[in-house]
Amino acid sequence: MALTATPRRTAPADAPAPASRARRAARRRRLTAAGVLMTPFFALLVTVFLIPVATAVYLSFYSDDQPGLGFGPERTVFVGLRSYTAVLTDPTFLGGLGTVALYCLIYIPLMVAGALALALLLDSGVVRLRAWAQLGLFLPHAVPGIIAALIWLYLYTPGISPVIDLFAKADIHLDFLGLHTVLPSIVNIALWSNLGYNMVVFYAALQAVPREVIEASVVDGAGPVRTALQVKTPLIRASIVMVAMFTLIWALQLFTEPMLLSQSSPMINSRFSPSMYIYDAAFTRNNYGLAAAASVVLLLFTIALSYGVTRFTSRADAKEAR
C-alpha cells in the first residue's frame, strides 16, 4: 500500500504573524492615547500663543493712514517693515530694553541665589517648624501682583509710609522712588513676591537628592556648608537652570510694578520698559501696528536670550560629562 505525504499548509508570505499584529495594535492604542492626552495642550498652545503671535505679526505690517494731507478718511494700508524700523530706531524703546537688561542683571542673581540659600537652609534641618517656615515664605507669592505693588507703593510713598517715617526719626532720609533707587525698589517687590515660590521649587529638588550621597559626604569629612555647595547644589543644577530661565522670561515682561509706581514717581515714564512701551503705543497713541511690531521684537529678543541660556548650559553639561 502506497503512502502519500500531505503537503503542509503555510501562511502566505505577506500575512502578518499574530505577534506582529498584536504589536501594531498596541502601538496604535498608545498613539491614540497620546493624541487624546496631548490634545488639550495643543489646543491651548494654538489658542493662547500661536494665534496671538500670528495676529501680532500680521498687524505689524499694517498701519492706519489718512490720505489727502490728513483730511481724508482713515484707512488701513500695508506698510511693510516701517513699524519695525520705527521701533528699532526709537530711543525710548531701546532705553526700555536697557532698563530691563539692568533689571535682569540685578534681579535674576538675587532671586536664584536667595531662593537656593533658603532651600538649602530648610533642607539642612537647622530651621525649626519647617512647614510653617515654607508657608510663611510662600504666602507672598499668593498675593496678586497688583496688590503686592500697591502694598509696596504705600510703603515707598513719603508722607504716608511708616517705614520712611521710622527712618526719618533716626535721621535717615530715604527716597525709594528716586533716580538711583527706583529700579532697586522694583527689584525688591519682585523678590518679595517670587522668592518663596522658587524656594519651594529648589526645596522639592533637594528632597529628591539621594540621602546616601549626603551621608557619604559627611563620612568623608565635609561640613554642612561644603555639603550644601559642593554636593547638593550640583545635583539640582537642572532645577537651577529652569528657575533662571523662567525668571529671565518673566523679567523681560516687566510691567505691573513700574506701571503702578509711575503714579508716584516721575522717574518712571510711560515707556519705562518694553511692555509699557507696547501698552503706550496701543492704548495711548492708538498705533496698533507699532505696538504689534514692538511685541514681535520683544518676543524674538526673549527667544534669543532663552536659546542662548539653553545652549550655554548644554555645552557646560557636555564638558562636565567628558
Side-chain angles (χ1 to χ4, degrees), residues 38-125:
M38 294 296 291
T39 297
F41 166 76
F42 284 111
L44 286 174
L45 177 67
V46 171
T47 304
V48 305
F49 182 74
L50 295 181
I51 292 179
V53 168
T55 303
V57 172
Y58 173 80
L59 290 175
S60 66
F61 292 112
Y62 290 86
S63 179
D64 293 331
D65 287 343
Q66 288 182 330
L69 300 178
F71 296 103
E74 192 176 76
R75 63 181 183 180
T76 302
V77 297
F78 180 79
V79 296
L81 298 176
R82 190 179 74 180
S83 296
Y84 290 97
T85 303
V87 167
L88 295 175
T89 57
D90 191 339
T92 58
F93 181 80
L94 299 178
L97 283 178
T99 300
V100 167
L102 181 59
Y103 172 79
C104 291
L105 289 176
I106 301 173
Y107 172 57
I108 295 176
L110 289 176
M111 171 60 71
V112 175
L116 181 60
L118 289 174
L120 290 171
L121 187 63
L122 290 175
D123 187 67
S124 66

Side-chain angles (χ1 to χ4, degrees), residues 101-167:
L102 181 59
Y103 172 79
C104 291
L105 289 176
I106 301 173
Y107 172 57
I108 295 176
L110 289 176
M111 171 60 71
V112 175
L116 181 60
L118 289 174
L120 290 171
L121 187 63
L122 290 175
D123 187 67
S124 66
V126 175
V127 179
R128 296 183 179 180
L129 301 176
R130 188 179 306 172
W132 289 101
Q134 292 179 40
L135 179 61
L137 291 169
F138 183 78
L139 273 180
H141 183 73
V143 178
I146 295 178
I147 304 301
L150 287 174
I151 292 172
W152 284 99
L153 177 61
Y154 166 73
L155 296 175
Y156 287 156
T157 303
I160 62 173
S161 171
V163 177
I164 294 179
D165 292 341
L166 184 63
F167 278 110

Side-chain angles (χ1 to χ4, degrees), residues 1 12 58 75 81 85 118 146 150 155-156 162 170 179 187 193 239 250 270 272 283 285 304 308:
M1 185 173 60
Y58 173 80
R75 63 181 183 180
L81 298 176
T85 303
L118 289 174
I146 295 178
L150 287 174
L155 296 175
Y156 287 156
L179 177 61
V187 170
S193 299
S239 298
W250 292 333
S270 60
F272 182 79
F283 301 107
R285 291 178 281 170

Side-chain angles (χ1 to χ4, degrees), residues 11-16:
D14 56 346

